[in-house]
Each structure stands twice: as C-alpha cells, then as structure tokens.
C-alpha cells in the first residue's frame, strides 16, 4: 500500500506543479494587483472604479446568454438527429461537427470575416443578384454570430454524448405507454439528458463571456466587451491594476456560473437515480 501511495504521489506531482504554476499563481497575481495601486500599496480604489464598467459587464453577459441560448436551440436538435443515426453516420457527422475545431479560433474568425465583411463573399453574391448588401461586421449581430459559430460544437458534443448513453428501452417503454413523439421527447429524452445540456451551457457560456478576439474582429472595434476592456487596460501600465480588478470579477462570475450549473447537475443526478424497493425492484 505504501508503494502504491508513493507512486500515486509521484504520478500526480507534474499535474500539481502545473496547476500551481499556471492556475494558482496567476490567480494570486491577479488578486494582488486588484487590491494594490501602482505603487504596490493596498487599496480598494480599483474595485470602486468598476462601477464605470457596469454597461460593459451587462453587455458581455447579455451577449453570452444570447449565444448560449441560440447554441442550445440549434445544438439540441442536431445532437438528437446525430444520435438517431447509424454508428457509421454518427462518426461522419461527428467529424463534420468537430472539423471547424481543428482550425485555430483566429483562423475561424478571419474566415467568418471574409464571408460577412462588406466586401466579402456573401455581399458579393448579394450584389450580383441585385440585392442589398448586409452590414454584419461591426454590429451586435455579427459578434453574437461569431460566438455561435465558434462555440456551437461545445454545445453539441456533450448533449450528443448524453443521448448516445441513453437507454433505448426508456424510449420504447414510453411508446408502449401511449406517448407520442413530442411527449417522449419532453418527458423522457430531455429530462434524462439534462446533464449534457448543463455541460454544454457551461462550455459555451464561459468562453463567450470572456472572449475578446471575436468582438474585436467581428465588432470592428465598435463593441467593447469585458475581454476587450481587460486587454486594453493591461496594455497600459497605469491601468494595469484596474484590469486585474475586472479580471477578478470575471473569475468570480465564472466560478459562480459553474457552481450553479454543478448544483443543477447534482440535483438532476439525484432525482434520476433509481431507488431499490423491498423486492429488489426499481421504485420510480
């Protein structure tokens, strides 16, 4: 037992070292700079100055929520369609969903700009057809569209995984009990795949609320989100501490959202867990 315990500690050492260097230490630095001024003196002035960035926080949260909801509306039916296909077709569809993720986020965003810009392929096609051009880049819609395009796979994959693990006997039982397709979806499939939905929401909302490159390029510098504000403040030594304070608030918001999602996920697992009856049967 001692050898196994020592081996486990040695095996975990690289991960612990990595976590301390690249997770714990940066968070400590952010916490330090958030509560100090330019001279290194303890101060709450950085936290107090966050009130002037209230609109930026509200806009970032609103964009992230909209992108997450749209990804869920698109991703859930897509994941359901994929789960109903043959194993071979599932693999092909999985590759198609994951294919954009093989490219860097910067490349995907630039590609979307090439399609949607005023002189891009979409407007060039509309112009040849005699239609009016669409102004997408530099608008709120363009930024949200970029979030949806870049983060949609993060919604589809966990929901698809949850659906493929779903016992088909539940669906057959619902049909035997007289449920139609809509009732089976709302009363059986959706409640049993809540864990995948929660994972997808978390994986889309967290990067959406903290992104800055998408808003920079597809917003054409006209839309200022939290990520853009933090990047701009960090570039100026005189506002470095304020940027750290905003980063600290962002970390708190992300941790709160993850905690809320985990709470709902834990409740879902507790309510869906089968209970054993006296006769060894399953009690709903």
């Amino acid at each position: 037992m001692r050898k196994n315990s020592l081996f486990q500690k040695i095996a975990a050492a690289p991960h612990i070292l990595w976590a301390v260097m690249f997770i714990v230490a940066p968070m400590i630095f952010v916490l330090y700079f958030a509560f100090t001024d330019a001279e290194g003196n303890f101060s709450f002035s950085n936290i107090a100055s966050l009130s002037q960035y209230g609109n930026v926080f509200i806009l970032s949260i609103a964009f992230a929520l909209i992108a997450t909801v749209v990804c869920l509306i698109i991703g859930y039916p897509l994941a359901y369609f994929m789960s109903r296909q043959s194993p071979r077709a599932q693999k092909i569809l999985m590759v198609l969903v994951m294919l954009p993720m093989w490219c860097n986020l910067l490349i995907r965003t630039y590609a979307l700009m090439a399609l949607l810009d005023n002189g891009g392929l979409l407007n060039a096609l509309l112009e040849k057809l005699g239609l009016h051009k669409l102004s997408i880049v530099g608008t709120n819609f363009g930024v949200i569209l970029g979030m949806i395009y870049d983060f949609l796979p993060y919604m589809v994959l966990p929901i698809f995984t949850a659906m493929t693990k779903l016992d088909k006997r539940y669906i057959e039982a619902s049909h035997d009990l007289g449920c139609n397709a809509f009732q089976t979806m709302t009363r059986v499939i959706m409640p049993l795949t809540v864990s995948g939905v929660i994972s997808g929401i978390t994986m889309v909302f967290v990067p959406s609320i903290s992104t800055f490159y998408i808003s920079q390029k597809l917003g054409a510098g006209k839309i200022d989100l939290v990520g853009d504000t933090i990047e701009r403040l960090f570039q100026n030594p005189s506002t470095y501490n304020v940027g750290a304070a905003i980063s600290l608030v962002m970390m708190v918001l992300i941790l709160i959202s993850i905690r809320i999602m985990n709470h709902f996920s834990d409740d879902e697992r507790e309510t869906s867990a089968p209970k054993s009856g006296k006769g060894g049967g399953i009690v709903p």
Side-chain angles (χ1 to χ4, degrees), residues 7-284:
F7 176 77
Q8 292 173 0
K9 293 179 180 179
I10 294 175
H15 172 72
I16 296 174
L17 181 62
W18 179 274
V20 170
M21 291 178 59
F22 298 105
I23 299 177
V24 178
M27 293 180 67
I28 294 176
F29 289 146
V30 169
L31 186 65
Y32 168 77
F33 285 110
F35 290 99
T36 56
D37 56 19
E39 288 75 26
N41 301 319
F42 182 80
S43 174
F44 283 103
S45 60
N46 301 319
I47 303 298
S49 64
L50 295 182
S51 58
Q52 59 183 312
Y53 299 100
N55 293 333
V56 175
F57 280 105
I58 294 174
L59 188 64
S60 300
I61 294 174
F63 277 24
L65 287 175
I66 294 173
T68 303
V69 171
V70 175
C71 284
L72 179 59
I73 294 174
I74 298 175
Y76 198 94
L78 177 58
Y80 176 75
F81 172 77
M82 292 171 58
S83 66
R84 304 292 290 177
Q85 304 305 309
S86 64
R88 179 179 176 83
Q90 287 182 4
K91 294 179 181 179
I92 296 174
L93 293 173
M94 178 70 71
V95 171
L96 293 177
V97 171
M98 295 181 62
L99 192 60
M101 299 173 63
W102 295 356
C103 297
N104 188 274
L105 174 66
L106 309 183
I107 298 176
R108 299 202 304 268
T109 305
Y110 265 114
L112 198 59
M113 286 180 59
L115 290 173
L116 304 179
D117 201 4
N118 292 332
L121 297 178
L122 176 61
N123 282 318
L125 178 61
L126 293 176
E127 189 175 13
K128 288 185 178 180
L129 296 176
L131 302 176
H132 293 288
K133 290 184 178 182
L134 297 176
S135 297
I136 298 178
V137 176
T139 63
N140 295 344
F141 174 75
V143 175
I144 296 174
L145 181 62
M147 293 179 180
I148 296 170
Y149 169 71
D150 284 319
F151 303 132
L152 179 61
Y154 298 116
M155 180 68 74
V156 175
L157 296 180
I159 298 177
F160 171 74
T161 301
M163 287 185 174
T164 53
K165 294 180 179 180
L166 180 63
D167 194 338
K168 295 183 180 180
R169 290 177 295 180
Y170 289 121
I171 301 176
E172 295 172 356
S174 68
H175 292 319
D176 293 339
L177 293 173
C179 292
N180 54 34
F182 179 77
Q183 292 173 327
T184 300
M185 173 61 70
T186 56
R187 296 184 180 182
V188 179
I189 298 177
M190 293 180 67
L192 293 176
T193 55
V194 170
S195 60
V197 172
I198 293 174
S199 298
I201 291 175
T202 305
M203 294 175 66
V204 173
F205 180 78
V206 170
S208 295
I209 198 175
S210 58
T211 186
F212 67 93
Y213 191 79
I214 296 175
S215 55
Q216 282 184 357
K217 297 305 178 183
L218 296 177
K222 302 176 182 179
I223 300 172
D224 202 16
L225 300 183
V226 172
D228 306 292
T229 303
I230 293 174
E231 185 199 23
R232 185 178 63 254
L233 293 175
F234 276 160
Q235 291 177 353
N236 189 347
S238 62
T239 57
Y240 192 92
N241 300 79
V242 179
I246 298 178
S247 300
L248 179 62
V249 174
M250 281 299 302
M251 288 193 297
V252 172
L253 290 176
I254 291 173
L255 290 175
I256 291 174
S257 64
I258 293 176
R259 181 67 186 91
I260 293 174
M261 295 302 175
N262 289 337
H263 174 73
F264 284 111
S265 180
D266 293 340
D267 290 345
E268 185 269 336
R269 281 194 291 266
E270 290 178 1
T271 55
S272 63
K275 300 178 181 179
S276 177
K278 292 183 179 180
I282 300 299
V283 180

